[in-house]
Each structure stands twice: as structure tokens, then as C-alpha cells.
Amino acid sequence: DQQVKQNSPSLSVQEGRISILNCDYTNSMFDYFLWYKKYPAEGPTFLISISSIKDKNEDGRFTVFLNKSAKHLSLHIVPSQPGDSAVYFCAASGPGGGADGLTFGKGTHLIIQP
Amino acid sequence: NAGVMQNPRHLVRRRGQEARLRCSPMKGHSHVYWYRQLPEEGLKFMVYLQKENIIDESGMPKERFSAEFPKEGPSILRIQQVVRGDSAAYFCASSPLHMPQETQYFGPGTRLLVL
């Protein structure tokens, strides 16, 4: 039973345009959400996070939106750059959700086309 | 400030051998987490440790797997009598605190291949 779902295995976006990566969760106890970026043969790199008390958090080109009623969050990257090509993981944590560790989605492979 | 360090980066073992994976957390971090990533999958939580204590091992298989974080030295994830299904990338993460909303920082991972 997957508690964090990323339904798009891959996404292709033209350089300079907006990339939107989506994530859905089922456990209403999750109260903290994170996005990680991962290059091949490397560990996940923390990008941005959001607490359940907020609906938006912005950091440079990256913005995360949280819709608690829909149990949905999204990561917006604008403008997209070639170096953004990577696998993006959505992760969640909270009391009773995934024990003491983060619960991850399966990832979305973002490909930025020149 | 060095990040989370893991070694070896790659490890090849034959079925039945033991695998030892090491993790040194970021300076100032006393909380360590181990995750496993199977091919085409997301990371799955295995175990959470503090110095000399296993806090939560709910994600770790009951047999053949063990973890420790001694007072001195790195955290060790040990897999005894490895099988082909243990082939995966094993990632360690650390955090300075274990607060409800604390970010975990990951190492580069150890890629275990069981022949």
C-alpha cells in the first residue's frame, strides 16, 4: 500500500518553461512534506519542504504547493534549466506515518529539453 | 563542512557472504537513518538510530539485517548471508535533531550487488 504516490514516472519539459511535478498522499497524519532531487549514482539532495500549516513555500526557482483537502502537493520549477534534469522524489513524514523515517514516492524523471 | 559520508560506494558479494555498509553523519548530527532503494522504486525506510541506541527498526527485515551506531565511529548496516534480493542501493541520512519536521540529509549511497 503506497502512502505517497507520484503517478508520472517521467516528464519532459522544454528549457525555460515551467516544470510541474505532482505528488499525492493517502495518510492524513502526514504533516511535513519534502522534495528531493537525485542524479544517477548519487544520493538524494534536499530541495524544498513545506509544513502542513502552510499552503505554499518558495525558494528561488522552486515553489511547493500543498492542498491538504485534496492530499496533493506539487513542485513548480520556473524557469526550467538543463541542470534540472534528474529524478525528483516526494517524501512525507508525520506522527504515525512511516514510523520515524520518511515515506517516499517512486519518483518522477524530469527531462529538460533544450 | 563535509556531508554525509558512506563507504564503500560499491560492494560486490556472493550469496551467503556478509555485507557491511558504513555511514558517517554530518558533523553535529546525532540522528542516523538507513533507507533501501530497489530498482525502479522509491527509498524505503529501514532503521533510525541515535548514538548507541536503535530507536525504530520497523522497516528492517527481521532476519539477517542489523544496524548499530556506536559511541565512536560510523553507523554500520550489516547484512548476513546475503541473497540476490538484497541487491539494491542503500542510503544513509542524518539530521541534527529528531523533530517532527526536521530535514534529513543523504549520503551518496552504497550500491550492493549480490552475485
Side-chain angles (χ1 to χ4, degrees):
Chain A
D1 178 33
Q2 262 207 296
Q3 297 187 70
V4 177
K5 299 178 184 177
Q6 293 177 257
N7 291 320
S8 297
S10 66
L11 175 68
S12 184
V13 174
Q14 204 163 13
E15 182 180 357
R17 306 292 290 266
I18 183 171
S19 294
I20 300 176
L21 295 95
N22 294 303
C23 178
D24 298 292
Y25 61 96
T26 58
N27 191 332
S28 57
M29 296 295 285
F30 286 145
D31 62 2
Y32 188 54
F33 304 90
L34 309 91
W35 284 95
Y36 286 86
K37 173 182 178 180
K38 186 179 180 302
Y39 293 118
E42 294 185 12
T45 302
F46 170 72
L47 268 179
I48 192 168
S49 61
I50 189 166
S51 163
S52 60
I53 62 173
K54 294 185 176 181
D55 55 17
K56 177 183 174 181
N57 189 24
E58 193 172 352
D59 184 1
R61 296 186 298 114
F62 303 93
T63 303
V64 55
F65 295 92
L66 175 62
N67 182 335
K68 281 178 293 186
S69 61
K71 294 192 180 71
H72 177 83
L73 64 155
S74 61
L75 174 68
H76 293 212
I77 307 172
V78 56
S80 301
Q81 298 175 354
D84 296 331
S85 294
V87 177
Y88 288 78
F89 290 98
C90 171
S93 70
D100 282 315
L102 298 172
T103 302
F104 281 84
K106 290 190 176 184
T108 296
H109 185 192
L110 176 64
I111 301 162
I112 304 301
Q113 295 183 334
Chain B
N1 187 14
V4 178
M5 299 177 69
Q6 289 187 250
N7 67 83
R9 294 291 303 273
H10 299 273
L11 183 61
V12 180
R13 285 288 178 266
R14 297 194 179 278
R15 280 179 296 170
Q17 292 184 321
E18 178 180 289
R20 279 184 178 238
L21 289 64
R22 287 176 290 277
C23 168
S24 296
M26 285 178 73
K27 188 176 180 181
H29 289 195
S30 58
H31 302 262
V32 167
Y33 311 79
W34 284 94
Y35 294 80
R36 176 166 66 176
Q37 184 185 23
L38 296 170
E40 309 301 324
E41 296 285 325
L43 283 73
K44 295 280 170 57
F45 166 75
M46 299 180 74
V47 61
Y48 158 50
L49 311 101
Q50 294 179 27
K51 285 283 187 183
E52 300 184 281
N53 281 303
I54 297 174
I55 307 302
D56 180 355
E57 55 184 351
S58 60
M60 202 148 71
K62 295 286 185 284
E63 297 178 352
R64 302 187 299 106
F65 285 72
S66 63
E68 62 176 11
F69 190 14
K71 188 176 179 181
E72 301 291 336
S75 175
I76 306 284
L77 179 67
R78 182 181 177 205
I79 311 172
Q80 294 178 289
Q81 299 172 347
V82 296
V83 301
R84 289 218 174 106
D86 297 333
S87 295
Y90 292 82
F91 293 98
C92 167
S94 72
S95 65
L97 301 168
H98 184 72
M99 303 294 286
Q101 299 182 352
E102 189 66 46
T103 298
Q104 297 177 19
Y105 296 90
F106 284 81
T110 294
R111 277 133 192 96
L112 172 65
L113 176 62
V114 180
L115 301 176

